[in-house]
Amino acid sequence: MKKVTGFLTYLSVGLRDLWWVATNELRHIFRDRGVMLIFFVAGIAYPILYNGIYKNEALYEIPVAVVDHSHSPESREFLRKFNAAQEVKISNRCLSLEEAKALFTDGEVHGIVYIPSDYHLKLARMEQATISIYNDMSSFLYYKGLMMATNYTMLDQLRSIQIKRYNAAGIGGEQAEQLVEAIPGNDVGFYNPGGGFASFLLPALLILIIHQTLFFGIGMLAGTAREESRTHSSIPEHLHGRGIYRVVIGKAIAYFLLYIPITAYIVGFIPKFFNLPHIGEIGTLFSFMIPFLLAAIFFSMTVSVFVKNRETGLIAFLFFTLILLFLSGFSWPRQNMPEVWRLISYLFPSTHGVQGYIKINSAGATLSQVRFEYITLWLLAGFYFIAASISLHLVVKRESRQIQQ
């Protein structure tokens, strides 16, 4: 009976401590305009801003200069088909390659198509003809658009030439079509059928927005507490020892409650509103986001121990953002990263959050199909909870010693 009574007392005191710490942290959050700006304004505005920038999904009518020294019906047919592609637009017809290069250097065109004078002669002699393409590699989207338009045009032109040659040899109709294309291909794109840039980029950015606004906001709160020297005073005296984990859990509850609606807005509403990929089951998605949020919160709390003031929080935010972006593995496959960087990427909740979210939201994966990311996020949540508790305990211990001195 005594054990039961003792347990109930312990539970009651624990819940009261958690309630006090959580409400105290919420008071600090709502009194801090900077943190409110990061948590709510940035969390709501960033997804809209990024989707607005990449709304068009793909580049169309990239300006291209052409230099046609062949002046033949064959070259004009090629350029007519090339100009019909939606990715490019012939904006300038130049007399020389130097004139086209000048336009390229001035940024007026992002590609050059050069057709040599012997183009039609080689085709007539049934030799291999050459068309040169000069790409603007400052952006892969320019390169992609120009190469797609060129390749489709060349394939179509090649098909027309082959059929003409078969017809000249006495082979016509369906037989010639079968010889030209004996095995027709059927190109099917999964998860991003339109090949849109926004559908590729923004799902990963949405997860990073959640992670980084949490990280920055928690860092600012920690920095403000250091500046006001209230880290020690904001923790009840009886929690300075073994009860420090209640402080960590209480603060985490406050952040978690705030980020439930923000997360629902970012990963649930935004993809549907902007017509991004969203074929994942909503229950699976939110089951996955729970360990992600907890891991991100405890990771941020662990790092925030080293934040000495509000400016340090901003520096830490800038330092981690690009690292997390490149280590998340959406822009470059993680299996192709150097081993050391791939191992480092496992330490960050954003890496597994991005990978799991893309699989669920864009590919319709179930929770069992993302079990590696799901389990890893729970493990990271546990690891960073312990790390945050130990770190905060050491900080409180040090500050207590300084006060006694």
Side-chain angles (χ1 to χ4, degrees):
M1 188 63 184
K2 287 183 178 179
K3 288 184 178 179
V4 174
T5 305
F7 174 74
L8 290 176
T9 304
Y10 177 81
L11 185 64
S12 173
V13 172
L15 292 174
R16 192 166 61 243
D17 289 338
L18 290 179
W19 171 256
W20 186 90
V21 173
T23 53
N24 188 53
E25 190 68 11
L26 286 172
R27 272 197 296 274
H28 287 307
I29 292 171
F30 285 105
R31 288 175 182 170
D32 193 321
R33 293 180 181 177
V35 176
M36 290 283 286
L37 186 71
I38 296 300
F39 278 174
F40 295 102
V41 179
I44 293 171
Y46 276 4
I48 296 175
L49 175 66
Y50 291 148
N51 276 284
I53 293 172
Y54 296 107
K55 182 183 177 183
N56 292 330
E57 287 272 8
L59 287 183
Y60 299 109
E61 298 189 347
I62 301 167
V64 175
V66 298
V67 182
D68 182 8
H69 283 172
S70 175
H71 301 295
S72 61
E74 290 82 0
S75 65
R76 286 193 288 273
E77 182 184 3
F78 178 88
L79 293 176
R80 179 180 57 77
K81 291 179 178 177
F82 178 77
N83 199 35
Q86 64 178 357
E87 291 86 2
V88 297
K89 179 185 71 176
I90 297 178
S91 59
N92 299 81
R93 295 179 183 271
C94 303
L95 297 176
S96 65
L97 195 56
E98 285 68 27
E99 182 185 351
K101 285 180 179 177
L103 293 171
F104 190 89
T105 305
D106 293 339
E108 294 186 28
V109 297
H110 297 289
I112 300 172
V113 178
Y114 174 73
I115 302 178
S117 57
D118 59 352
Y119 174 71
H120 62 289
L121 298 175
K122 286 189 174 180
L123 290 179
R125 294 196 297 263
M126 299 184 71
E127 297 176 1
Q128 189 175 46
T130 303
I131 292 179
S132 299
I133 308 296
Y134 298 85
N135 284 300
D136 182 354
M137 292 297 292
S138 63
S139 167
F140 276 108
L141 292 181
Y142 292 141
Y143 170 78
K144 175 192 169 190
L146 184 54
M147 290 309 297
M148 284 180 66
T150 304
N151 288 335
Y152 287 143
T153 305
M154 282 184 170
L155 288 173
D156 188 70
Q157 190 78 343
L158 178 63
R159 187 173 180 276
S160 300
I161 292 170
Q162 285 179 316
I163 288 179
K164 285 179 184 176
R165 289 178 179 175
Y166 280 123
N167 290 339
I171 303 172
E174 187 176 346
Q175 188 179 6
E177 294 277 352
Q178 289 178 347
L179 286 171
V180 170
E181 194 172 11
I183 305 176
N186 187 20
D187 187 11
V188 180
F190 288 113
Y191 315 134
N192 185 5
F197 191 70
S199 298
F200 155 74
L201 176 69
L202 289 177
L205 286 187
L206 294 179
I207 297 300
L208 286 174
I209 288 171
I210 296 173
H211 190 282
Q212 288 304 87
T213 52
L214 257 173
F215 180 78
F216 192 20
I218 292 174
M220 286 181 71
L221 285 167
T224 304
R226 301 283 189 284
E227 288 178 347
E228 297 176 354
S229 302
R230 59 173 168 77
T231 303
H232 178 269
S233 59
S234 63
I235 299 174
E237 188 67 30
H238 67 283
L239 295 181
H240 286 191
R242 295 179 181 178
I244 200 72
Y245 68 89
R246 297 179 193 172
V247 178
V248 176
I249 295 175
K251 286 174 177 277
I253 289 174
Y255 305 138
F256 188 78
L257 291 177
L258 285 179
Y259 261 75
I260 287 176
I262 295 173
T263 302
Y265 161 78
I266 292 177
V267 302
F269 171 74
I270 288 293
K272 291 185 179 180
F273 186 76
F274 288 98
N275 203 27
L276 297 173
H278 57 275
I279 63 174
E281 202 273 320
I282 197 73
T284 303
L285 187 58
F286 283 99
S287 298
F288 180 80
M289 295 311 295
I290 291 173
F292 169 69
L293 277 180
L294 291 175
I297 288 169
F298 290 131
F299 167 76
S300 303
M301 292 176 71
T302 302
V303 177
S304 72
V305 172
F306 303 98
V307 174
K308 302 300 181 187
N309 49 52
R310 289 172 77 90
E311 288 73 22
T312 311
L314 176 61
I315 293 170
F317 169 78
L318 295 175
F319 175 77
F320 275 104
T321 298
L322 282 180
I323 293 175
L324 299 182
L325 177 67
F326 289 114
L327 289 182
S328 63
F330 83 95
S331 62
W332 183 256
R334 280 196 299 165
Q335 59 266 28
N336 290 342
M337 291 180 185
E339 187 67 15
V340 61
W341 283 110
R342 195 161 60 84
L343 293 175
I344 290 174
S345 73
Y346 290 141
L347 297 174
F348 300 109
S350 58
T351 301
H352 312 287
V354 167
Q355 292 294 322
Y357 176 68
I358 290 175
K359 290 176 183 176
I360 294 171
N361 191 60
S362 302
T366 62
L367 208 55
S368 63
Q369 290 171 319
V370 293
R371 59 180 174 277
F372 174 76
E373 290 84 2
Y374 185 69
I375 293 172
T376 306
L377 283 172
W378 278 116
L379 292 175
L380 285 179
F383 171 76
Y384 284 119
F385 165 67
I386 296 171
S389 299
I390 294 174
S391 303
L392 187 60
H393 174 70
L394 294 176
V395 169
V396 171
K397 193 174 177 181
R398 185 187 62 203
E399 291 182 353
S400 299
R401 196 164 49 244
Q402 289 173 348
I403 291 173
Q404 290 172 0
Q405 291 173 352

